[in-house]
Amino acid sequence: MRFEFATATRIVFGASTLKQIGPLAAEMGKRALVVTSREGTREAPLMDLLDEQGIAGVVYSVAGEPTVEAAQQGAQRAQQAACDMVISIGGGSVMDTGKAIAALMTNPGDLLDYLEVIGKSKALTQPSAPFIAIPTTAGTGAEVTRNAVLASPEHRIKVSLRSPLMLPRLALVDPELTASLPHEITASTGLDALTQLIEPFVSVRANPMMDAFCREGVRRAARSIGRACEHGDDATAREDMSLASLFGGLALANAGLGAVHGFASVIGGMFAAPHGAICARLLPHTMEINLRALEERLPESDALHRYDELAQILTGNDEASALDGVAWVRELCEALSIPPLASYGLTPDDWPSIIEKSSVASSMKGNPIQLTPDEMREVLTKAN
Ligand SMILES: [Zn+2]
């Protein structure tokens, strides 16, 4: 057994913890670039809390999935405004953009110097500027991960800026901030969280420390995702989903992912589809094909027992076996009206390029078994 664990320097979790942000941020800087989403009014209470501590806030809004350009412009904005820290308040896009900006504030040169695939893949050498992540969705767990996934629309690709030096200084997770999320976003981000707990649990890098987070996270997500969608103001359900998201972030950062995320990173670069929605749609089909492939080619794999255990946690039935877990997830996706991939413009003509690119995606390497091109085509066909 061999594993490593690294996370945000400090994690503060709980309803109304946003109120603590002033003194916490004051330990880190005087002028904050506050990254938020374009439609957001999220930052208003945060700005007041910072102001009370004499911290100046400079707002920078981003829309849609995070891009290379948004990170570059944000870093310029931070420099022009002489910011010494970054605070992201928003979903995964906002957190990843802020995380990349904080890295660029202390590392010399251009973002492209450090990006994989489309850039020079140089390693960051300096710790990021102090970065605080405040999630307002419950899905990505980006508040505790060490990478920022950025889209480059001109290349139709998503690439990661990745370094342990990018781990947030503070993750402040206040479930109350998710109370007003609409059904659709609660559903897709919640299923992303569930995926990020299932994939690390069956990953080739699974380890006992992350297993504990995965088991507890899956249990909470399973009992609360439906409730959080139907009754957004249910504080207990929201708390469960925020915790599931946080645990998913811990797990993926320290035990890797699998085929769902291998596909999602590629599809997200090629099509304007939210990450959570792609993962949600792929999850049941990928579980089903993974199981079949394991039974056919790796029948001794420990992952098969792990799928059984997942089924028992998901269904609450001690007798459940792996396929019951797949059925549970499929029914959940139907009940939550997760749209097919085709609704984002995917067609079978795209399969060869998606299969070629995703078979070398970093997340695909965590999958418990290497899927054949035919199996990958089957997943895509079913999810479309
Ligand atoms: Zn994800």
Side-chain angles (χ1 to χ4, degrees):
M1 185 196 307
R2 194 177 277 206
F3 65 85
E4 181 184 325
F5 177 68
T7 192
T9 309
R10 188 169 180 185
I11 298 171
V12 174
F13 184 95
S16 299
T17 47
L18 181 65
K19 296 198 181 90
Q20 300 174 26
I21 191 66
L24 290 166
E27 294 172 12
M28 298 182 206
K30 291 255 169 267
R31 283 178 78 79
L33 186 78
V34 175
V35 185
T36 183
S37 61
R38 190 158 294 165
E39 65 273 23
T41 46
R42 288 283 181 202
E43 72 280 8
L46 170 65
M47 300 297 272
D48 292 342
L49 291 161
L50 295 177
D51 191 49
E52 282 169 19
Q53 295 290 321
I55 301 169
V58 178
V59 174
Y60 178 62
S61 342
V62 291
E65 296 283 296
T67 62
V68 170
E69 198 188 356
Q72 285 167 326
Q73 286 177 356
Q76 275 172 13
R77 183 77 181 272
Q79 192 182 25
Q80 285 157 3
C83 294
D84 54 9
M85 63 191 293
V86 180
I87 304 176
S88 281
I89 182 161
S93 303
V94 167
M95 288 190 280
D96 274 6
T97 306
K99 207 184 288 173
I101 293 170
L104 289 174
M105 283 164 65
T106 53
N107 284 275
D110 187 76
L111 174 56
L112 279 169
D113 294 343
Y114 302 105
L115 285 178
E116 59 187 24
V117 191
I118 60 168
K120 296 182 189 154
S121 295
K122 278 172 40 181
L124 294 173
T125 55
Q126 303 300 318
S128 293
F131 173 58
I132 299 174
I134 308 174
T136 60
T137 61
T140 67
E143 65 272 20
V144 288
T145 62
R146 65 187 78 176
N147 65 315
V149 185
L150 303 171
S152 172
E154 61 174 306
H155 300 94
R156 286 192 87 199
I157 195 171
K158 276 189 169 179
V159 289
S160 257
L161 181 65
R162 187 187 308 273
S163 168
L165 298 171
M166 291 169 63
L167 280 164
R169 192 76 71 83
L170 170 67
L172 188 142
V173 185
D174 180 346
E176 277 181 2
L177 300 178
T178 68
S180 59
L181 281 181
H183 180 291
E184 184 192 347
I185 297 178
T186 303
S188 61
T189 53
L191 273 155
D192 185 24
L194 186 62
T195 309
Q196 294 177 174
L197 293 157
I198 291 176
E199 292 206 302
F201 191 67
V202 297
S203 139
V204 295
R205 287 172 54 205
N207 65 70
M209 188 169 178
M210 289 310 107
D211 290 349
F213 287 114
C214 293
R215 288 187 180 101
E216 180 65 13
V218 169
R219 191 175 71 80
R220 288 179 184 264
R223 77 178 180 193
S224 288
I225 186 167
R227 181 96 191 144
C229 289
E230 298 302 322
H231 301 275
D233 56 354
D234 184 319
T236 308
R238 291 295 191 181
E239 184 178 83
D240 270 353
M241 293 313 296
S242 288
L243 205 57
S245 173
L246 172 67
F247 285 7
L250 295 172
L252 80 89
N254 294 286
L257 288 161
V260 171
H261 279 82
F263 284 125
S265 62
V266 171
I267 296 171
M270 294 171 68
F271 296 89
H275 170 78
I278 301 171
C279 290
R281 182 65 184 177
L282 287 168
L283 179 62
H285 307 293
T286 307
M287 288 172 78
E288 183 188 352
I289 304 295
N290 266 351
L291 267 175
R292 199 182 67 205
L294 285 163
E295 276 161 5
E296 284 174 7
R297 300 198 295 284
L298 272 181
E300 303 301 315
S301 169
D302 181 48
L304 284 168
H305 303 291
R306 288 173 169 262
Y307 274 115
D308 286 335
E309 188 183 345
L310 282 171
Q312 288 150 16
I313 302 172
L314 288 168
T315 62
N317 173 3
D318 293 347
E319 313 278 294
S321 64
L323 282 176
D324 301 318
V326 177
W328 189 92
V329 173
R330 189 188 302 117
E331 282 158 25
L332 176 68
C333 289
E334 280 163 18
L336 299 181
S337 308
I338 299 298
L341 295 181
S343 63
Y344 302 105
L346 279 75
T347 71
D349 290 345
D350 300 308
W351 299 167
S353 104
I354 293 175
I355 290 168
E356 188 195 333
K357 291 180 199 164
S358 46
S359 54
V360 293
S362 61
S363 295
M364 199 60 89
K365 296 182 185 110
N367 205 53
I369 185 164
Q370 194 179 348
L371 297 177
T372 65
D374 279 346
E375 286 165 344
M376 293 170 78
R377 190 174 299 108
E378 193 177 343
V379 171
L380 293 168
T381 304
K382 287 185 164 165
N384 216 41

